[in-house]
Amino acid sequence: MKPLDIVLGSAYSQPEISVSMRRNQMPLPKYRLFVALAIVVSLAGVVTSAVASTISSVADTYITIHPNLGGPTSIHGHDPYLEEIGPPTFYSYPLVRFDLSGFSGDTVVGPATLTLHVFGTWNSRTVSQTIEAFPVLVPWNESTLSWNSFGPGPICGTNVACVSLDTISVTVNPGDVVTFSNLPASLVQGWIDNPASNDGLLLFSTQQIDNLDIVFTSRESTVAPGPELTFQTTRATPEPSSLLLLASGAVGVLRIVRRRMPSVE
């Protein structure tokens, strides 16, 4: 036998293998292993369940030109309340933003709800307003934002969208709760899929009659919760029984492979 035959093997030095030995001891062909695993995986079910989540704002403030609230250069990112005032010379609009980073990969189902708690009203009396929710188009920092630095004020197509996503008309007293219940799922989904687009919402009052102020609690409030966003998401997860099936199937395939591997004496 040549020296290389000992190291590399030679067609002339290989022992003859009978057909029966090949059939009983040769390893399972790779493609058969893949097919077997594919069958097991295909049998594993997937459960898609809807989960409701409520998250609190991570940033909120209001911008104003109201002289008694500090005027257009005033900053209110750390105030315990959010002023909502509609008439000219007193414009005051809250801005809120939420962190959706924990929902990456989820799918939003149905409309979302924005909840605001009423801290106070003008002279603590019953007041009415119509308020629209507009997507904000530019980044902002609650610690530095003012009416002047924002625009000045909201400007259609520049710092806020030109079309509101939800409009509510409310009549409230101190202690009441206000909800925007029809914020589109696409809004929240966009914030999840593209966090850079998440600049929150501006709440614009269309009320032109004076002395109908509404004051909402901010995230700094110790009286009631600040702004909250509630929505449902789904995520595909393996069914527990399917995980057991998958594990059992994999073990079965491995056993088949072992039985078909040639024994080493």
Side-chain angles (χ1 to χ4, degrees):
M1 181 179 293
K2 299 178 182 178
L4 286 179
D5 289 338
I6 298 175
V7 179
L8 303 178
S10 168
Y12 300 101
S13 63
Q14 296 292 331
E16 184 176 355
I17 301 175
S18 66
V19 174
S20 61
M21 182 183 293
R22 291 193 183 99
R23 181 180 298 120
N24 296 327
Q25 294 185 339
M26 287 297 286
L28 185 68
K30 289 184 178 179
Y31 79 89
R32 291 186 182 177
L33 176 60
F34 293 152
V35 170
L37 286 174
I39 292 173
V40 171
V41 172
S42 66
L43 291 175
V46 174
V47 175
T48 302
S49 56
V51 178
S53 300
T54 297
I55 58 176
S56 300
S57 60
V58 295
D60 54 33
T61 185
Y62 70 93
I63 55 175
T64 184
I65 62 172
H66 199 311
N68 293 341
L69 296 175
T73 62
S74 59
I75 297 170
H76 302 279
H78 300 294
D79 291 0
Y81 53 84
L82 305 168
E83 293 275 356
E84 185 77 74
I85 306 175
T89 72
F90 300 121
Y91 292 144
S92 301
Y93 307 130
L95 288 88
V96 298
R97 187 171 67 242
F98 300 89
D99 181 7
L100 280 299
S101 60
F103 299 89
S104 177
D106 288 5
T107 300
V108 181
V109 180
T113 298
L114 172 64
T115 301
L116 303 164
H117 295 262
V118 179
F119 173 72
T121 59
W122 173 261
N123 282 345
S124 297
R125 71 184 192 186
T126 302
V127 300
S128 299
Q129 284 197 35
T130 296
I131 307 171
E132 300 177 328
F134 288 89
V136 179
L137 304 179
V138 296
W140 52 275
N141 186 322
E142 66 175 5
S143 298
T144 59
L145 191 70
S146 69
W147 178 277
N148 282 354
S149 67
F150 186 62
I155 303 172
C156 166
T158 299
N159 53 21
V160 295
C162 295
V163 178
S164 68
L165 298 178
D166 195 7
T167 302
I168 59 172
S169 294
V170 296
T171 299
V172 298
N173 291 284
D176 286 347
V177 174
V178 169
T179 57
F180 290 82
S181 57
N182 287 301
L183 292 173
S186 59
L187 171 71
V188 181
Q189 190 68 60
W191 289 345
I192 293 174
D193 296 341
N194 183 15
S197 70
N198 180 7
D199 295 311
L201 298 168
L202 180 142
L203 307 180
F204 181 88
S205 174
T206 64
Q207 183 57 259
Q208 297 299 299
I209 300 175
D210 199 5
N211 299 334
L212 295 176
D213 309 6
I214 299 177
V215 182
F216 301 116
T217 53
S218 75
R219 69 191 187 99
E220 285 82 9
S221 174
T222 59
V223 176
E228 296 173 315
L229 185 68
T230 300
F231 54 96
Q232 284 194 327
T233 57
T234 61
R235 176 178 294 180
T237 56
E239 190 176 18
S241 59
S242 298
L243 292 176
L244 180 60
L245 173 63
L246 183 60
S248 300
V251 170
V253 170
L254 290 175
R255 286 177 178 173
I256 294 173
V257 172
R258 285 186 176 183
R259 285 201 298 266
R260 292 175 177 264
M261 289 291 290
S263 59
V264 179
E265 297 295 338

